[in-house]
Amino acid sequence: MDSTELVFIPGPGMGHLVAAVEIGKLLTSRAHWLSITFFIIDLPIETDVHTYTNSLEINDSTTSRLRFLHLSAPQPQSNNFSNQEALLVETFDNSKQLVREAIVHNFMTNKSKSGSTKLAGVIVDMFSDKMIEVATELGLPSYVFFTSSAAFLGLMFYAQTLKDEHNRDISDFKDSDTLLPVSTYIHPLPAKVLPSAMLDKHGRLHLPLSTARMIRQAKGIIINTFVELEPHPIKSLANDNGVPSIYPVGPIINLNQEPDESINSWLDEQQDSSVLFLCFGSYGSFDEEQLKEIATALDHSGCRFLWVLRQPQAKGEIGALEVLACPEQVLPEGFLERTMQRGKVIEWAPQVGVLSHRSIGGFITHCGWNSILESLWFGVPMATWPMYAEQQVNAFELVVDLEIAVDIKMDYRSESPVLVTAAEEIESAIRRLMFDSTEEKNDIRKKMEELKEKSRRAMLGGGSSYHFLECLIKDFKDHSSN
């Protein structure tokens, strides 16, 4: 019997890898003739990847047709990197030959006695987009797994078209009040919420432009979203002749996280929808002055809370944040004692396990796309506090276009932070999210409940994401039979 394989090249970071594995599980559960090999380009800043893939191979029966091939990334030629993105892009660029040789060796030169392995294509992450060139060189169709929103994908294409067809840099709008007519957003997009990379004319701007050009060369784009969440952006992309076929197949979420018993037992003691969860991702941190403002807002609001607090990162450092050993040293004097009956400060939490708990009534989030999808899946209303990457435009979409979140500071940037004040901004948002019986709060909760149901129906037979996954699988099958 011939076997059919996909090569999947995830982007850097556990978040990208976990999402890639989850869609791999979904594909192989629906296409029993398909296997997937993940080419994992090992990076020194990610130390947990081997542990994760080993545990999947040993403990997870749903990954029996998923294989993990670790490739050692070549050392970057320069150590002069002003930011993490530049380091990652060069590392992946330097790995193209390594990936090409691995594809040829594993799938194009080996023939088994019982049949041959047919490659249906190569799936790349938006951070490993240059591998599209490798696929094209080998005569293989390529697909992009886009791990952010359909709206943001449209913004990338907008910036690239602005440059390539009108010779205008989107960074020219920096520090202006310009409203940009980006077709994938319902309302004009304020330039002040553009991702920092797009505002860095002499530095990082080339990265999103280059990625957008490369994505246009793919055969299809697999987006971790669903039609009922982003009907306008998806329709806009589908109507653009210059954009490859799109497959909104989300929400792709890892629901199999181990619960933390101490956190769960504390949450079990709280009333339904009474606890505010604060978590800012693996790379989100604040300085001591800002932490004090957050604590003051929590103190004065009287709200029950679960707060994931991490060690602020030194400037120029790359990697996930360390545990904050002594939170009492950076929080206001007496805060932990005053709030011990209604609050809990922790160093880490299994986010899905927390959001799924009946006592969670609100979520202050950095607006990473995975976190947004998890919050939607469990119907937890959000307050937005974006920090880096595309999180500012994610916050804009949630608050302005979709009207399903409360805004704290939409244009906040971790690389040039301003102080967000306790009373005027943070406490006000907490009260709107958790306490006030306003029409806004009720509308947000109602919409989140509706999206919770729609997100689950989308993945079931007859649902929108189920349908698009069927179309994608058919595309793989058609190519492998040629």
Side-chain angles (χ1 to χ4, degrees), residues 343-394:
K344 193 172 178 66
V345 175
I346 56 176
E347 60 191 36
W348 174 85
Q351 187 164 284
V352 163
V354 171
L355 290 172
S356 65
H357 199 281
R358 57 163 182 78
S359 70
I360 298 297
F363 180 25
I364 295 184
T365 173
H366 66 310
C367 300
W369 191 244
N370 283 344
S371 294
I372 289 170
L373 293 178
E374 289 166 4
S375 204
L376 287 166
W377 185 263
F378 296 108
V380 178
M382 290 171 279
T384 62
W385 194 332
M387 306 196 74
Y388 51 87
E390 87 290 9
Q391 293 162 10
Q392 288 81 18
V393 292
N394 289 348

Side-chain angles (χ1 to χ4, degrees), residues 147-352:
T147 51
S148 192
S149 69
F152 176 57
L153 177 60
L155 173 60
M156 291 179 66
F157 288 142
Y158 173 85
Q160 176 251 322
T161 299
L162 197 66
K163 177 64 176 177
D164 293 353
E165 296 184 11
H166 305 283
N167 197 28
R168 185 82 189 271
D169 285 324
I170 198 168
S171 58
D172 293 344
F173 300 111
K174 184 177 182 179
D175 299 325
S176 79
D177 294 324
T178 304
L179 298 175
L180 302 170
V182 182
S183 66
T184 47
Y185 292 88
I186 298 168
H187 297 86
L189 187 71
K192 66 181 181 180
V193 302
L194 287 171
S196 296
M198 289 187 177
L199 298 174
D200 187 5
K201 184 170 187 172
H202 302 293
R204 291 178 286 164
L205 176 57
H206 74 281
L207 296 178
L209 298 181
S210 170
T211 299
R213 294 183 191 111
M214 193 59 64
I215 290 175
R216 286 190 189 272
Q217 298 178 30
K219 184 174 182 182
I221 309 170
I222 307 160
I223 312 178
N224 193 5
T225 189
F226 56 105
V227 172
E228 292 78 5
L229 174 62
E230 294 193 284
H232 176 83
I234 289 168
K235 184 177 180 181
S236 171
L237 290 169
N239 289 339
D240 187 336
N241 291 330
V243 174
S245 300
I246 61 168
Y247 302 91
V249 299
I252 307 296
I253 298 170
N254 176 19
L255 297 171
N256 301 315
Q257 293 183 14
E258 287 293 324
D260 183 286
E261 291 185 12
S262 66
I263 294 172
N264 264 17
S265 40
W266 184 82
L267 289 173
D268 288 343
E269 297 171 359
Q270 314 307 318
Q271 294 180 355
D272 290 1
S273 302
S274 66
V275 178
L276 175 67
F277 180 44
L278 300 89
C279 186
F280 299 93
S282 301
Y283 301 98
S285 68
F286 300 100
D287 61 25
E288 187 172 331
E289 188 179 13
Q290 185 62 73
L291 290 176
K292 283 184 165 62
E293 293 292 317
I294 296 172
T296 300
L298 290 170
D299 201 353
H300 291 175
S301 72
C303 181
R304 296 183 179 278
F305 65 88
L306 181 67
W307 183 7
V308 179
L309 190 58
R310 307 305 295 272
Q311 176 72 45
Q313 202 164 42
K315 195 168 184 179
E317 282 187 4
I318 294 174
L321 298 170
E322 298 297 323
V323 170
L324 182 59
C326 301
E328 63 274 8
Q329 294 182 1
V330 299
L331 297 174
E333 186 176 353
F335 169 78
L336 293 174
E337 291 76 17
R338 286 192 302 275
T339 60
M340 64 187 301
Q341 298 301 320
R342 60 179 176 87
K344 193 172 178 66
V345 175
I346 56 176
E347 60 191 36
W348 174 85
Q351 187 164 284
V352 163

Side-chain angles (χ1 to χ4, degrees), residues 74-94:
Q75 287 294 317
Q77 296 175 354
S78 164
N79 292 321
N80 255 340
F81 293 103
S82 58
N83 62 79
Q84 182 176 335
E85 288 176 358
L87 167 64
L88 298 175
V89 168
E90 175 159 330
T91 301
F92 272 76
D93 273 2
N94 292 344

